[in-house]
Amino acid sequence: MGRSRRTIPEELLLLALDPTTGTTAQPQSLDLGLAGAQLVELAMAGRIAPDGDRIAVVSPRPTGDPTLDCALELLRRRGAPVRAVHWIGGPRLGLRQIYLSHLERCGMVHAVAGQMCGVLPTTRYQATDTDISREIKARLDSAIRTGVPPDPRTAALAALAHAVGLGKHLYPGNEGRSSRSRLRDLIRHDPMGGLVAHAVMDVQNGAAAQPRRNQAPAGRQAGPGARSAPEPARGVPAQPHRGPMARVVAH
């Protein structure tokens, strides 16, 4: 995979970043969304594919993106397809910081040191080129306004933005209600994005601990390779991991 275009995790993070305050909207659910966005990007690169409500590695060949390749290797080591909800619900220590640091190296954001309550050190991230964020949002706006089915990348981004709760950040107030509804509806235009978005919402609702037996995720038919889901693996939390990043970036 070349680096000529931004990845979906990068775009999701840029959408969530407030250009004025340097904080990220919905920081806890955003961590889940970034893990899900990695799955979508790997699927678009032909490295993984959905298997019912599970994710299977179909090609372990590296993409050239170190962060995505790390996720791909972890999936490969599982040996068998893993439920999307378990993968997204697992601990992802520092994933948001990894992407913020990457965006800083690329020159798209710059770090601003500060303090919380005059004591605790914090780091906020200001966009260096707000035109990039505006261009990303313009793609969502176009899909919402025109009703024309978006390209797969925009559809997946819309699905993830809805899943992590960015609708009220992107389209606030009563005047944004119809846009938030249409953002939610875009979830149907990309099967992989829809699967991952539903998994993100399931984790937030505590459904990761409730295996779905003999059925596919809501709104989708089980594929020929679908299996009844096993009990959750030990050590996989049902709720989003609340790590140190919640204190470092967004308040």
Side-chain angles (χ1 to χ4, degrees):
M1 174 186 299
R3 297 297 297 134
S4 60
R5 64 183 180 189
R6 295 179 298 271
T7 65
I8 294 175
E10 293 163 5
E11 292 198 329
L12 182 65
L13 185 51
L14 286 169
L15 272 181
L17 192 64
D18 189 300
T20 303
T21 66
T23 61
T24 50
Q26 304 294 333
Q28 299 305 321
S29 55
L30 180 60
D31 291 341
L32 302 175
L34 290 173
Q38 287 185 316
L39 295 181
V40 177
E41 193 68 50
L42 287 170
M44 289 185 174
R47 302 311 195 268
I48 64 174
D51 181 5
D53 67 346
R54 296 170 181 265
I55 302 298
V57 175
V58 295
S59 172
R61 184 168 55 89
T63 66
D65 181 304
T67 309
L68 290 176
D69 288 341
C70 179
L72 179 61
E73 176 61 14
L74 289 174
L75 285 166
R76 186 193 66 79
R77 290 178 184 176
R78 294 290 185 95
V82 60
R83 287 184 70 208
V85 71
H86 285 167
W87 173 261
I88 291 169
R92 294 289 179 270
L93 291 174
L95 185 58
R96 185 160 28 119
Q97 184 60 53
I98 288 172
Y99 275 107
L100 283 167
S101 297
H102 169 73
L103 292 177
E104 185 180 18
R105 288 193 301 271
C106 293
M108 285 188 273
V109 302
H110 66 276
V112 179
Q115 288 184 328
M116 183 196 305
C117 301
V119 178
L120 298 176
T122 63
T123 303
R124 298 172 185 265
Y125 290 84
Q126 303 282 170
T128 56
D129 186 354
T130 55
D131 286 345
I132 295 175
S133 296
R134 282 196 291 266
E135 180 271 324
I136 296 170
K137 184 173 180 293
R139 284 164 35 210
L140 297 184
D141 292 344
S142 177
I144 287 172
R145 286 196 313 269
T146 65
V148 176
D151 63 273
R153 298 185 70 83
T154 301
L157 181 63
L160 287 161
H162 166 70
V164 303
L166 289 184
K168 290 184 178 180
H169 168 70
L170 298 172
Y171 306 104
N174 288 333
E175 64 275 16
R177 183 177 299 173
S178 61
S179 292
R180 293 195 298 271
S181 177
R182 292 170 186 168
L183 180 71
R184 179 195 62 216
D185 291 344
L186 292 176
I187 201 170
R188 71 181 186 274
H189 289 294
D190 181 66
M192 185 65 182
L195 184 155
V196 169
H198 279 99
V200 168
M201 291 185 284
D202 281 350
V203 173
Q204 294 180 84
N205 293 330
Q210 305 297 325
R212 298 177 179 179
R213 299 186 180 279
N214 298 318
Q215 68 179 50
R220 292 179 296 278
Q221 295 294 321
R227 303 175 178 84
S228 59
E231 293 299 320
R234 291 183 179 179
V236 178
Q239 295 295 332
H241 179 83
R242 298 181 180 271
M245 278 305 302
R247 298 189 299 274
V248 175
V249 180
H251 302 279

